[in-house]
Amino acid sequence: MNRLYHVPLSPFCRKVRLVLAEKRIEVELVEERYWEQDPDFLRRNPAAKVPILRIGGRFMPESQAICEYLEEIEPTPVLMPRTPEDRYEVRRLCAWFDDKFHNEVTANLVYERVNKKITGQGYPDSSRIKAGSKAIKYHLDYMHWLLDQRRWLGGDQMSLADFTAAAHFSSLDYISDVDWNRSENVKDWYAKIKSRPAFRGILADQVSSFRPPPHYADLDF
């Protein structure tokens, strides 16, 4: 049985979960208490990060590398475009959300509000929360601009760029940190991707001590 070592609200883990579900690759989910630095965990990934996918008898870390590997072994449905230029744009946006968006928004909101409590690292830093709440507005505006030009973030077809962004936004939405009224384009985009069968597992997540808002699992939010 394939196995994914993950943390429920990690956008990197959610990204891999979405791709696995979209490609209908069965996997057992195992929550990993990465902050405890268990020796078995460190043997699975010396970088001490999740997600880690066990497939074909080997352990694979790093979400982007995992997703592109899954695209190669199971090319249907297609999540990477055919032309080099279009693949570049999808990879650029994956990096945008996993790097810039993560550092400016997800780390300042989800990690401060949730991860610190779960891992026993103290109280949220209000200055970081304020910075994340300010930064997300810029990113929503950029996404609004992209979706004015295209049907999906990376082009006219849904791609890994959309699942990468949706993984981050679903984590933020779990703690009500997205102003969906700021952009009708972005809200419509999220409603479309949220309605996909691949999203069902994400919408069913429950994190101890944190209850999602009523609209979190509502497809007509």
Side-chain angles (χ1 to χ4, degrees), residues 81 86 90 146 149-159 162 192:
D86 291 343
V90 167
L146 286 174
Q149 324 297 316
R150 313 161 173 181
R151 291 181 58 203
W152 295 90
L153 290 175
D156 289 334
Q157 303 295 324
M158 187 187 69
S159 71
D162 297 288
K192 283 191 298 183

Side-chain angles (χ1 to χ4, degrees), residues 1-219:
M1 178 57 134
N2 302 322
R3 179 174 290 179
L4 182 69
Y5 298 88
H6 79 119
V7 173
L9 281 190
S10 161
F12 304 101
C13 297
R14 286 182 162 215
K15 171 181 176 177
V16 174
R17 289 171 62 190
L18 287 169
V19 172
L20 286 164
E22 186 72 11
K23 292 182 176 292
R24 298 183 181 181
I25 299 174
E26 293 188 6
V27 66
E28 176 189 4
L29 296 177
V30 179
E31 286 195 39
E32 185 73 80
R33 297 174 65 86
Y34 63 89
W35 59 93
E36 295 180 352
Q37 302 288 288
D38 180 80
D40 286 337
F41 169 54
L42 295 176
R43 278 192 289 271
R44 289 191 286 270
N45 182 14
K49 297 192 299 182
V50 288
I52 305 167
L53 177 65
R54 190 189 73 180
I55 187 170
R58 62 181 299 185
F59 292 103
M60 295 183 170
E62 299 298 338
S63 65
Q64 184 69 18
I66 292 170
C67 291
E68 295 210 30
Y69 169 80
L70 295 172
E71 179 73 4
E72 291 189 14
I73 66 167
E74 186 55 67
T76 305
V78 175
L79 294 179
M80 290 294 289
R82 293 186 177 182
T83 71
E85 293 79 12
D86 291 343
R87 286 199 297 275
Y88 162 79
E89 179 64 358
V90 167
R91 290 185 175 113
R92 181 187 74 82
L93 288 170
C94 289
W96 175 283
F97 286 100
D98 282 346
D99 184 5
K100 184 175 178 64
F101 186 91
H102 173 259
N103 291 332
E104 295 179 359
V105 181
T106 313
N108 284 333
L109 297 176
V110 176
Y111 291 11
E112 287 297 321
R113 295 192 197 277
V114 179
N115 292 33
K116 273 191 171 180
K117 181 175 181 179
I118 290 175
T119 60
Q121 294 180 352
Y123 296 99
D125 183 334
S126 60
S127 65
R128 295 197 65 184
I129 291 174
K130 184 177 180 180
S133 298
K134 180 180 179 181
I136 195 174
K137 297 175 183 178
Y138 163 74
H139 288 277
L140 284 166
D141 291 346
Y142 178 54
M143 293 173 69
H144 178 94
W145 179 83
L146 286 174
L147 293 166
D148 257 350
Q149 324 297 316
R150 313 161 173 181
R151 291 181 58 203
W152 295 90
L153 290 175
D156 289 334
Q157 303 295 324
M158 187 187 69
S159 71
L160 183 56
D162 297 288
F163 279 153
T164 302
H168 285 271
F169 272 86
S170 65
S171 297
L172 292 159
D173 197 40
Y174 189 95
I175 54 173
S176 295
D177 263 328
V178 183
D179 178 8
W180 296 114
N181 294 319
R182 188 172 181 87
S183 169
E184 197 66 29
N185 281 359
V186 177
K187 184 177 181 180
D188 288 346
W189 162 82
Y190 189 64
K192 283 191 298 183
I193 200 163
K194 181 180 181 179
S195 298
R196 298 190 69 79
F199 233 87
R200 289 173 186 162
I202 298 292
L203 298 180
D205 279 346
Q206 295 287 326
V207 179
S208 179
S209 301
F210 295 91
R211 292 177 60 87
H215 74 265
Y216 173 73
D218 185 358
L219 302 183

